Amino acid sequence: MLAIILIVDNGMEKAFMGATTYFDDYRYELGGEAYAVTAKSLVDIDAFVKAYASVGDWVGYHFLENPLEASPLWYWIVSILFYITRSYISVRIFNVIISSIAVVYVYKFADLVYGKRIAVKATTLLTFMPYPVVFSCFGYKDSLIMLVTFYLLYCAVKYRKSHSLKVSEVILILLGSICLLFIRGGLSALLILICLVIAFGDVIRGKLNRKTFIAGIFLIIIAVVFFIKSYSTCLLYTS
């Protein structure tokens, strides 16, 4: 699908909706291209601020003021990919890979919750929908959000069922949570809180040991604090 979009010259190879900075995907890539030209190193904060300001996006200035509310991570990913490859195609390929992995975790999550038969049906339906097939061929951040979201949901359900996680999974959960917070601001804090409630739901019924109880309460408190700090962003998204 990505090859078809890039080969067929109908304007869609530039952006999903249109080649104007009003649309996120075009603005992400245009800013990333400006960053690749002006940056003096892989991570150049000054170039990052000016590159996106040049396309009418003030994420760089918000990043300097409050990184959490600015949700700058996807901008940085696009910028770094552009800096390394000098091509927007790398962003598109990255998105396609991310979308494909996300489908795997949709299957894993559905398998844990509903069983293999429903998981196969859900995943088959998803893989024939435009969202993971067409939408991922552009510079949007939604594929990465979908991947991290379903990974966290999968791990939350897995922990609730088995009360155990691998060290590598714990590390990925922490990285994924941080990643989500810096991609989608306040709503991410709410999602992480929901995942913690799912994972430590048995705490309410007192079925976990003391250490797990303390860890669960501690993590839920942290999530609540993040949610409160991002409350204004949540209102912005829901209004």
Side-chain angles (χ1 to χ4, degrees), residues 137-215:
C137 295
F138 298 91
Y140 291 105
K141 59 185 177 181
D142 298 67
S143 294
L144 183 57
I145 292 171
M146 182 170 72
L147 170 60
V148 178
T149 296
F150 274 96
Y151 181 77
L152 292 178
L153 286 170
Y154 162 72
C155 288
V157 174
K158 181 182 177 182
Y159 184 82
R160 182 167 184 142
K161 286 178 174 291
S162 66
H163 292 169
S164 65
L165 288 171
K166 298 177 182 177
V167 174
S168 59
E169 289 175 326
V170 174
I171 293 172
L172 286 175
I173 288 169
L174 292 174
L175 291 176
S177 299
I178 294 170
C179 176
L180 205 56
L181 285 168
F182 283 94
I183 295 177
R184 183 50 60 90
L187 289 178
S188 298
L190 179 59
L191 173 68
I192 293 168
L193 177 60
I194 291 170
C195 288
L196 286 170
V197 171
I198 292 171
F200 294 96
D202 287 340
V203 168
I204 300 171
R205 296 193 295 269
K207 291 186 177 181
L208 301 182
N209 60 46
R210 184 178 177 182
K211 289 183 179 179
T212 308
F213 177 85
I214 294 172

Side-chain angles (χ1 to χ4, degrees), residues 15-198:
F16 182 63
M17 296 291 291
T20 167
T21 54
Y22 177 79
F23 299 110
D24 291 345
D25 60 330
Y26 185 71
R27 191 174 68 254
Y28 293 149
E29 293 181 355
L30 201 63
E33 184 178 12
Y35 178 83
V37 173
T38 59
K40 297 178 182 178
S41 60
L42 188 65
V43 178
D44 186 332
I45 295 177
D46 185 57
F48 177 79
V49 173
K50 293 178 180 177
Y52 281 99
S54 70
V55 297
D57 195 316
W58 314 114
V59 64
Y61 292 103
H62 296 316
F63 170 68
L64 295 176
E65 294 172 2
N66 190 329
L68 185 61
E69 289 190 5
S71 305
L73 182 58
W74 181 248
Y75 291 87
W76 275 110
I77 290 172
V78 172
S79 297
I80 290 171
L81 285 173
F82 255 101
Y83 183 85
I84 295 171
T85 65
R86 293 298 197 272
S87 174
Y88 70 93
I89 295 177
S90 62
V91 178
R92 310 288 184 89
I93 292 174
F94 176 77
N95 246 350
V96 170
I97 294 170
I98 289 298
S99 180
S100 301
I101 299 172
V103 171
V104 173
Y105 279 100
V106 170
Y107 173 83
K108 287 177 174 288
F109 170 73
D111 185 27
L112 274 180
V113 178
Y114 302 108
K116 196 171 296 294
R117 186 173 66 88
I118 298 298
V120 170
K121 287 185 177 181
T123 310
T124 302
L125 177 62
L126 180 63
T127 52
F128 282 97
M129 292 181 70
Y131 186 84
V133 178
V134 178
F135 206 59
S136 65
C137 295
F138 298 91
Y140 291 105
K141 59 185 177 181
D142 298 67
S143 294
L144 183 57
I145 292 171
M146 182 170 72
L147 170 60
V148 178
T149 296
F150 274 96
Y151 181 77
L152 292 178
L153 286 170
Y154 162 72
C155 288
V157 174
K158 181 182 177 182
Y159 184 82
R160 182 167 184 142
K161 286 178 174 291
S162 66
H163 292 169
S164 65
L165 288 171
K166 298 177 182 177
V167 174
S168 59
E169 289 175 326
V170 174
I171 293 172
L172 286 175
I173 288 169
L174 292 174
L175 291 176
S177 299
I178 294 170
C179 176
L180 205 56
L181 285 168
F182 283 94
I183 295 177
R184 183 50 60 90
L187 289 178
S188 298
L190 179 59
L191 173 68
I192 293 168
L193 177 60
I194 291 170
C195 288
L196 286 170
V197 171
I198 292 171

